[in-house]
Amino acid sequence: MSINPQVLSLTKSATLKITALTKQIKKQGKDVVNFAAGEPDFDTPDFIKTAAKEAIDQGFTKYTPSSGDNRLKEAIANKLKVNNGICLDKENVIVTSGAKYALFIALLSLLSVDDQVLIPSPYWVSYPEMAKLTLGKAKFIDLAEENNFKLTPELLNNSITKKTKVLIFNYPSNPTGVTYSKKELIDISKVIKDANIYVVSDEIYETLVYDKKSHISFASLDSMQDKTLTVGGFSKSFAMTGWRVGYLAANKDLVKEISKIVGHTTSCPCSISQAAALAALGDNKWQSQVGLKFEARRDLLYQGLSNTPKVKPFKSEGTFYMFCDIRETGLSSFEFCSRLLEEELVSCIPASSFGKEGFIRISFSTSLKQIKKGIDRINNFIKKL
Ligand code: PMP
Ligand code: GLU
């Protein structure tokens, strides 16, 4: 039996693997602090669950159009118009089975043989693996620590070649938590304009931005709408990771083509989850309350780790992740995370999975009490080294 070498070359998702392992340890009754979680610890709000139950009772249980239920597409287009300043309508939108699938079909549809996709590094774990499943080739842009791991116009410009077709741009960033000001984004957009490449803008953490900053969508910038494929979703913003709903917004010609991929692969996203997502868009109270809770958690974690020897945290501007430099411990990120889990029952993600050695990702998607406990345990661990 021979398996497609591209599939053989895939690595398992480290984030999903470690999160599953942490849940398993917890189930065994062990008091593990989950700093690995890539999902909100809050339950999906009741008003969303109710909408899903009603959808079942009303028989909304059949295929929807491949690109998604029309009412939901309209609501997403309206949200993008009102909240994000992107002028579009429902024909610009495809609802997908999670934002992950939106990213994958965006790349699949754009990348032809040997086309280059630029991936700023540290990157989210799935981008390089998705690129492997297309005909394109990943090229990494090393982001400088001195510049808080931000993409700059110079770095971008120096990375673009004749073969470059796409930039994957993710902000607020998983794993570093950095985000960009309007001025920084405009400067990057000028490079994009001249280079004539597409931007797959992964804005799934758009609602989790702190310090009274606001999120600016890349497609809302001058001349960027036609060049940008905006990816968003419900997993992080409404604690709906298991429901699997995301979306892609792009120009209408692209959307028409990409919808064909959906029609032949997933058919459409789950109808019941789409009804739930529609209800979610009717509310913004829940989100702002949750945003404040995450900000308080970030502050506690940052303060605690700033006083921890040999660990240097980067203050996240968004997401629920904090990137930490652990090079002073002399351990690799994998050794650090394995030993921390074994010896102190704290799970984190080694940044080697994000293309960066010597760093770890700590998720603050857990209670203040757990965060305090986790900081104490990390301090114990460091003392013993
Ligand atoms: N993009 C980033 C940066 C992520 O961290 C994730 C993880 N959930 C996704 C996309 C995919 O989200 P979804 O669960 O909606 O597929
Ligand atoms: N995106 C989350 C994370 O980075 C969830 C797991 C995954 O989809 O990778 O941890």
Side-chain angles (χ1 to χ4, degrees):
M1 186 180 64
S2 68
I3 293 173
N4 179 346
Q6 267 165 295
V7 174
L8 285 176
S9 76
L10 295 180
T11 50
K12 249 186 157 178
S13 165
T15 45
L16 289 178
K17 197 167 71 183
I18 298 170
T19 303
L21 176 69
T22 310
K23 285 181 184 171
Q24 199 185 326
I25 297 174
K26 209 165 204 161
K27 254 195 181 154
Q28 290 164 359
K30 292 192 183 148
D31 176 28
V32 63
V33 173
N34 186 357
F35 277 166
E39 57 188 350
D41 55 323
F42 304 106
D43 196 8
T44 305
D46 281 342
F47 72 92
I48 297 177
K49 291 182 184 173
T50 304
K53 288 175 199 160
E54 281 170 8
I56 296 174
D57 290 341
Q58 288 161 10
F60 190 65
T61 53
K62 303 282 167 61
Y63 293 132
T64 69
S66 294
S67 57
D69 175 59
N70 282 324
R71 287 167 308 167
L72 179 56
K73 281 191 291 184
E74 242 160 51
I76 291 170
N78 187 52
K79 173 242 178 278
L80 288 171
K81 230 183 273 177
V82 175
N83 297 358
N84 304 67
I86 311 173
C87 254
L88 37 69
D89 47 44
K90 73 175 192 325
E91 284 74 29
N92 294 94
V93 176
I94 306 179
V95 187
T96 54
S97 306
K100 210 177 247 185
Y101 190 63
L103 287 161
F104 179 58
I105 54 179
L107 295 178
L108 193 64
S109 65
L110 292 174
L111 296 169
S112 181
V113 182
D114 287 341
D115 282 343
Q116 231 170 42
V117 48
L118 298 178
I119 305 179
S121 171
Y123 47 74
W124 176 49
V125 65
S126 292
Y127 299 143
E129 305 310 299
M130 285 183 191
K132 284 182 193 167
L133 292 171
T134 70
L135 298 172
K137 291 224 161 24
K139 180 178 172 181
F140 299 100
I141 307 179
D142 241 329
L143 302 178
E145 184 190 336
E146 305 74 61
N147 197 30
N148 283 334
F149 301 109
K150 280 196 183 187
L151 181 66
T152 61
E154 294 73 32
L155 273 175
L156 177 59
N157 208 15
N158 293 340
S159 308
I160 293 172
T161 69
K162 279 198 184 111
K163 290 190 170 173
T164 309
K165 184 87 178 276
V166 184
L167 164 73
I168 304 183
F169 195 23
N170 166 227
Y171 65 96
S173 155
N174 177 5
T176 62
V178 302
T179 194
Y180 293 77
S181 68
K182 188 161 189 180
K183 157 104 180 54
E184 289 167 328
L185 292 172
I186 290 174
D187 289 346
I188 289 171
S189 76
K190 286 180 187 156
V191 179
I192 299 292
K193 196 171 166 187
D194 291 343
N196 203 17
I197 63 176
Y198 285 105
V199 177
V200 171
S201 190
D202 181 352
E203 301 180 21
I204 186 143
Y205 294 97
E206 64 170 328
T207 58
L208 295 170
V209 178
Y210 309 123
D211 306 313
K212 300 199 168 70
K213 288 188 183 133
S214 43
H215 177 81
I216 315 270
S217 278
F218 203 75
S220 71
L221 304 174
D222 190 33
S223 313
M224 286 301 110
Q225 189 165 334
D226 255 8
K227 292 169 176 291
T228 306
L229 292 82
T230 305
V231 172
F234 296 82
S235 295
K236 319 290 170 174
S237 43
F238 290 101
M240 289 176 71
T241 47
W243 297 74
R244 311 308 303 132
V245 208
Y247 58 84
L248 178 69
N251 82 50
K252 288 181 187 172
D253 295 336
L254 262 172
V255 161
K256 233 191 244 163
E257 296 305 315
I258 298 174
S259 296
K260 293 194 293 196
I261 307 178
V262 181
H264 288 297
T265 52
T266 62
S267 297
C268 64
C270 166
S271 59
I272 300 150
S273 299
Q274 289 190 70
L278 182 62
L281 286 180
D283 174 274
N284 48 28
K285 230 173 45 207
W286 186 84
Q287 274 184 339
S288 48
Q289 284 162 359
V290 161
L292 290 174
K293 283 189 182 153
F294 273 125
E295 188 159 354
R297 292 164 171 193
R298 182 217 44 182
D299 291 343
L300 180 69
L301 181 64
Y302 181 71
Q303 204 181 16
L305 291 177
S306 298
N307 295 321
T308 302
K310 299 188 180 176
V311 173
K312 186 178 148 233
F314 285 80
K315 194 170 188 181
S316 322
E317 299 166 317
T319 72
F320 40 70
Y321 306 116
M322 197 165 289
F323 211 52
C324 299
D325 183 346
I326 48 110
R327 284 174 295 187
E328 257 194 70
T329 63
L331 299 176
S332 73
S333 59
F334 182 79
E335 282 167 341
F336 186 100
C337 293
S338 311
R339 285 187 53 185
L340 184 63
L341 183 57
E342 221 170 86
E343 296 172 28
E344 292 291 336
L345 282 178
V346 177
S347 69
C348 308
I349 310 280
S352 48
S353 332
F354 308 119
K356 189 81 193 162
E357 194 37 271
F359 292 76
I360 59 167
R361 186 191 82 179
I362 296 187
S363 161
F364 46 92
S365 184
T366 188
S367 67
L368 292 170
K369 197 169 151 208
Q370 287 295 307
I371 291 172
K372 269 188 212 136
K373 195 191 275 183
I375 294 168
D376 289 346
R377 289 183 185 182
I378 292 175
N379 273 287
N380 282 342
F381 176 68
I382 300 284
K383 261 186 227 148
K384 284 189 294 180
L385 286 178

